Amino acid sequence: MLAHTIVAGIPFGCVYALVGLGLVITYRAAGVFNFAFGAQAYLSAAVFYSTVHTARWPVWAGGLVAIVVSGVGVGLVLDRGLFRYLRSASVMVKLVVSLGLLVAIPAVVQSTGFGSGTKLAPPDLGPTPAVLLGGPGALLDTNQLAVIVATVVIAGGLSGLFRWTNFGLRLRAVVESPRLAQLAGVNAEAVGSGAWVVSSIIAGLAGVLLAPLYGEVQAMDFDTLVVAAIAAAVVGGLSSFSLTVAGGLLLGIGQDLITAYLPLGSTFTQSLRPSLPFILLVLVLVVAGPRLSQRRTGGDPMAGVDPPPDMATRGGAEGSAGGWRQVGLGLLAGAAVVGVGLVVLPQYWLFLASECAALAVVYCSFTVLTGMGGQLSLCQAELAGVGAFAAGQLAIHDNLSVIAGLAVGFGLALVLGLVVAIPALRVSGLYLALATFAFGLLIDNIGFSPSWSGNGTSGILVPRPLIGPVSFNATRPFFVLTVVVLAIVATGVAWLRHSTAGQYLGAVRGSELAAASVGINVRRVKVVAFGLAAGIAGLGGALYGSTLGAVSASNFTFYQSLFWLVIVAITGVRTVGGAVAAGVAVVVVPQLLSLEGGGLASLGAVIFGFGALTYIRHPEGLVVWLHRRSMDVLQRRRRAA
């Protein structure tokens, strides 16, 4: 029984390992943790399905186009069009761009003939349907064997490439320092392009091999697989191919052992099996975090020879001199918007405006944590869910007003944020982002499933507030309430920015070592930042839940966390104005695109994905950039007059 379980888990372990190898090669070659790897695999799977299944091409011809031609083309486009210019960029910039591609690539594919329609029963590279090896009762089929063989060949080939070839030596030199490699006569651009081509071919092979295991070609399957394969890549320290394969096998066999030896009807078992990769990821990062963080995570040691960046790009719009004046003007503008909205806007658009305000409160948590403190978190949506579910459960079961539920949601999310801050004391940069990502995924899979919390996909009701005789059930008074809460949070964030704690946050964001050298307790600052940001997210989540009236776990998923981080980065993560603009963009833009019968609705994901690319040129955010440009125009007109 045990031997059969282990053998049955090997193909699934190789699935994790194969995708993990793709993540490792991209990270080792370009310093980019490629969240879009699953999107690239989906592209090749869709091309293979369309050529072989729909157009009836020979398998070898469809495989050549889907894996080699598509892989080479996508690799060259990503390198020459994007990541070549990001080799010495920060983790935040690379992360935002790869997350944008995660959304944009499937949207582009689905708008073409390759991605349209449902794609059931995707063909295999080998015999279709897959043939059982050894006859009835066999544990492996030809498609699973192909995955195992591909994993072994790719792992061995990559190890040999990096260790024993001139290309591997040049590639390691370029990863360490493109400038030094060029001084030694290495064509850094050609080497980087070659690495992206290799990575993209692996993504194409993974897409073609893995699609038959799902029974359907759809982007979400590949994205979910990449999320799980992250654990295998981190087991290998994002550098070791053999350890990555070992991590993948450990996950695949471990999940099969859970299924075989734990009671299948147990809710714990049903939650534990899909959560195993994330539990392993948390354990590895907490235990081995300091050792992993000591490794260089991107950036050229010779980047100091570059001229300093533009002042607006470096500082954003922190505006210490006129900060409170700007806050006052913002509140006056907000009051004017509320007044006009109450008079002019119909009920439906007032509801959307309330949704914008509630999400803007959640997005202010990014302003505190990332904009002020420089810390990355990929679990803010789950923290918002904690606030929403707490407010709803207390209102339903304890007859507690949602206003009190807002405070409870703030407190519970704050406590959970302090727990999330634990890895922040041991890791930083990319590894911190992955640690928070793992915490969010654990909440997704375990925390929101029970009936006493999020009640899974069924969800719970979150009523509108009632304060004494005053009811906020109607749309107009509730709109005023959401704007008032947003104004209070925005003012508090502005106060924090100009307080001593805010100055500490800015110092830690600039340099943890320098901050510690002047007597700042860096660990305490990080904990405060995570806790306060989590509390704000919980408060906004409770308000958001009350706005919608009913929420479920599908409203607060890992995908939402990634999406929200990117959209706030695009609009401006360092300012409250950026958070408000992000709330408006998330709610209003899809509504505008859905007009005219929904013909433009599919463009939303494309616009978002490619909008993330603006972050490369404008890391200060579009709100700050547009404000600066408008001020420049006004000054030129005054001079001309």
Side-chain angles (χ1 to χ4, degrees):
M1 177 66 178
L2 178 60
H4 283 205
T5 303
I6 293 175
V7 172
I10 289 177
F12 296 98
C14 287
V15 167
Y16 293 133
L18 185 60
V19 179
L21 289 172
L23 298 175
V24 171
I25 182 63
T26 311
Y27 186 76
R28 287 190 63 174
V32 176
F33 193 84
N34 188 17
F35 274 97
F37 187 88
Q40 294 176 250
Y42 165 71
L43 167 62
S44 293
V47 172
F48 187 69
Y49 186 96
S50 297
T51 53
V52 175
H53 187 276
T54 305
R56 302 298 179 183
W57 287 20
V59 171
W60 68 266
L64 181 66
V65 171
I67 298 172
V68 180
V69 176
S70 175
V72 171
V74 172
L76 290 176
V77 168
L78 292 181
D79 174 68
R80 295 182 180 273
L82 288 175
F83 291 105
R84 171 175 298 184
Y85 308 103
L86 301 180
R87 285 186 182 135
S88 53
S90 67
V91 172
M92 179 73 172
V93 173
K94 294 177 181 178
L95 189 64
V96 167
V97 172
S98 69
L99 291 175
L101 292 173
L102 169 68
V103 176
I105 292 176
V108 172
V109 174
Q110 290 162 8
S111 64
T112 65
F114 292 117
S116 58
T118 303
K119 292 177 166 47
L120 298 174
D124 296 324
L125 274 178
T128 302
V131 177
L132 290 175
L133 301 175
L139 296 176
L140 299 177
D141 60 33
T142 50
N143 190 57
Q144 292 173 327
L145 179 63
V147 174
I148 295 173
V149 172
T151 302
V152 174
V153 171
I154 289 174
L158 290 176
S159 297
L161 178 71
F162 271 82
R163 291 183 181 181
W164 301 312
T165 67
N166 289 330
F167 176 78
L169 178 62
R170 291 194 295 268
L171 184 56
R172 282 182 288 164
V174 170
V175 171
E176 186 65 27
S177 175
R179 292 176 177 84
L180 284 175
Q182 287 175 327
L183 291 176
V186 175
N187 188 336
E189 293 185 355
V191 172
S193 296
W196 272 103
V197 166
V198 171
S199 172
S200 297
I201 290 176
I202 295 175
L205 179 62
V208 171
L209 286 175
L210 302 182
L213 300 180
Y214 293 111
E216 182 179 358
V217 179
Q218 55 179 349
M220 185 55 70
D221 286 335
F222 291 98
D223 293 340
T224 305
L225 177 61
V226 169
V227 167
I230 288 173
V234 173
V235 168
L238 298 181
S239 60
S240 171
F241 300 121
S242 58
L243 288 179
T244 299
V245 173
L249 292 174
L250 176 64
L251 289 174
I253 295 172
Q255 288 183 325
D256 265 37
L257 289 174
I258 290 173
T259 303
Y261 290 99
L262 292 181
L264 293 178
S266 168
T267 303
F268 175 75
T269 303
Q270 295 173 357
S271 300
L272 179 61
R273 189 182 191 280
S275 301
L276 183 61
F278 320 132
I279 295 172
L280 178 63
L281 179 57
V282 170
L283 292 176
V284 171
L285 289 173
V286 170
V287 174
R291 178 177 57 83
L292 293 173
S293 291
Q294 288 174 0
R295 299 176 179 175
R296 197 173 61 85
T297 57
D300 192 337
M302 292 188 66
V305 303
D306 290 336
D310 180 74
M311 181 61 72
T313 302
R314 281 188 288 164
E318 306 209 17
S320 57
W324 285 112
R325 184 174 60 208
Q326 293 175 1
V327 171
L329 292 175
L331 291 175
L332 288 175
V337 169
V338 171
V340 173
L342 290 174
V343 175
V344 176
L345 291 179
Q347 292 283 327
Y348 179 68
W349 282 93
L350 277 176
F351 166 76
L352 294 180
S354 300
E355 191 176 351
C356 293
L359 286 175
V361 174
V362 177
Y363 297 160
C364 283
S365 67
F366 290 105
T367 306
V368 172
L369 184 62
T370 305
M372 295 185 190
Q375 307 299 308
L376 288 173
S377 173
L378 300 181
C379 64
Q380 295 305 102
E382 288 83 1
L383 294 172
V386 170
F389 295 136
Q393 294 285 4
L394 290 172
I396 294 172
H397 298 293
D398 298 314
N399 200 28
L400 189 68
S401 170
V402 171
I403 294 295
L406 295 178
V408 175
F410 175 90
L412 286 178
L414 187 149
V415 172
L416 189 59
L418 297 179
V419 175
V420 175
I422 293 175
L425 305 179
R426 301 176 62 82
V427 296
S428 59
L430 174 64
Y431 291 105
L432 173 59
L434 294 179
T436 58
F437 191 39
F439 270 112
L441 290 165
L442 285 174
I443 297 174
D444 275 352
N445 286 273
I446 299 177
F448 290 162
S449 298
S451 58
W452 52 265
S453 59
N455 199 26
T457 56
S458 299
I460 63 171
L461 298 176
V462 186
R464 295 283 176 87
L466 178 66
I467 304 177
V470 181
S471 172
F472 291 91
N473 190 56
T475 302
R476 295 185 185 278
F478 186 77
F479 167 66
V480 175
L481 176 65
T482 58
V483 175
V484 168
V485 174
L486 174 59
I488 293 173
V489 172
T491 304
V493 172
W495 172 84
L496 176 66
R497 182 185 299 282
H498 296 87
S499 68
T500 302
Q503 300 304 313
Y504 286 173
L505 286 171
V508 171
R509 185 192 70 232
S511 171
E512 294 184 14
L513 183 61
S517 69
V518 296
I520 296 176
N521 189 327
V522 175
R523 296 167 65 90
R524 181 184 301 170
V525 170
K526 285 185 176 183
V527 170
V528 169
F530 269 93
L532 183 58
I536 294 174
L539 173 66
L543 190 64
Y544 181 60
S546 185
T547 303
L548 298 181
V551 290
S552 67
S554 60
N555 294 108
F556 306 102
T557 65
F558 78 91
Y559 200 80
Q560 291 296 104
S561 289
L562 302 180
F563 177 82
W564 288 355
L565 172 65
V566 175
I567 198 68
V568 177
I570 294 171
T571 55
V573 74
R574 293 192 182 180
T575 63
V576 174
V580 174
V584 174
V586 168
V587 176
V588 175
V589 171
Q591 291 293 323
L592 297 178
L593 292 176
S594 65
L595 299 177
E596 303 296 334
L600 298 178
S602 60
L603 291 178
V606 178
I607 293 173
F608 163 79
F610 288 105
L613 304 183
T614 64
Y615 190 69
I616 300 174
R617 295 186 55 128
H618 305 294
E620 73 275 24
L622 292 180
V623 170
V624 175
W625 178 73
L626 291 173
H627 177 265
R628 189 173 67 245
R629 289 296 300 270
S630 63
M631 292 297 100
D632 291 342
V633 171
L634 289 176
Q635 288 181 0
R636 285 197 296 269
R637 289 183 177 179
R638 288 174 182 172
R639 292 170 185 166

